[in-house]
Amino acid sequence: MATIGLDQLFYAPITEAATTGEETYGTPVKLAKAISAELSVELAEATLFADDGASEIVKEFKNGKLTLGVDDIGRSVAAVLVGATVDDNGVLISTTEDGGTLVAIGFRARKSNGKYKYLWLYRVKFAVPSTSLATKGDDITFSTPTIEGTVMRRNKLDGQGKHPWKAEVDENDTGVDAATISGWYASVYEPEFTEA
């Protein structure tokens, strides 16, 4: 079903275990007011040829690119996402050595039926935000920042022994527990599987 909106943009800081690299997520924090979110995915692909034809084709998630348009990136969010620092006078300082921390990104998209699609991207590393500015002319034009991040699979295995990179749910799908939706931003969603 088509989406007609985007809101509730959150990030959750990630702490990695020193020996395993497994992620532990901090409490989700509001990132900014969302204007746009574009997610593109890159796949690793291989084709095995046998008997003069394609015998097997494998396509796996390699990484993704998330481009967020937001109303503003405040100092505290910029410090977390891209590693900028605030000096003693309250000025945000960006350096060539900046490198933000890994975060999980959550948001929702309103669908045309009034229900929502909820998403968590488990591991995102952002680059310095880009800004486009223009002088004021006869018309008013808003200039807002854009921030781009690389989406990766997480190190922590799920209950099926796989490395998830995204969790996604439509609130009107059958079998979706209401508590899953109501608690979506209380913590980063962890996959649950019944043991066989």
Side-chain angles (χ1 to χ4, degrees), residues 66-89:
L66 176 66
T67 305
L68 295 174
V70 295
D71 69 331
D72 189 25
I73 298 175
R75 291 183 304 183
S76 61
V77 173
V80 173
L81 296 187
V82 299
T85 55
V86 178
D87 76 1
D88 295 341
N89 296 315

Side-chain angles (χ1 to χ4, degrees), residues 1-2 6 9 19 37 43 45-47 50 71 83 87 95 98 108 119 123 132 155 160:
M1 181 169 290
L6 174 69
L9 181 58
T19 55
L43 299 175
E45 185 175 340
T47 304
D71 69 331
D87 76 1
T95 68
D98 290 347
R108 70 180 186 174
L119 293 104
R123 190 176 165 97
S132 176
N155 296 322
Q160 296 182 322

Side-chain angles (χ1 to χ4, degrees), residues 1-3 5-8 106-120 166-173 181 184-185:
M1 181 169 290
T3 59
L6 174 69
D7 68 356
Q8 300 295 318
F107 53 91
R108 70 180 186 174
R110 186 169 183 249
K111 301 186 315 178
S112 58
N113 66 357
K115 301 293 185 182
Y116 288 90
K117 175 186 292 282
Y118 291 81
L119 293 104
W120 272 111
K166 176 177 75 168
E168 178 179 341
V169 65
D170 283 353
E171 71 177 304
N172 63 323
D173 281 347
I181 300 301
W184 195 254
Y185 300 111

Side-chain angles (χ1 to χ4, degrees), residues 9-11 29-33 68 70 72 77 81 105 126:
L9 181 58
F10 282 76
Y11 74 91
V29 178
K30 185 83 166 163
L31 193 153
K33 290 183 178 178
L68 295 174
V70 295
D72 189 25
V77 173
L81 296 187
I105 296 292
F126 282 101

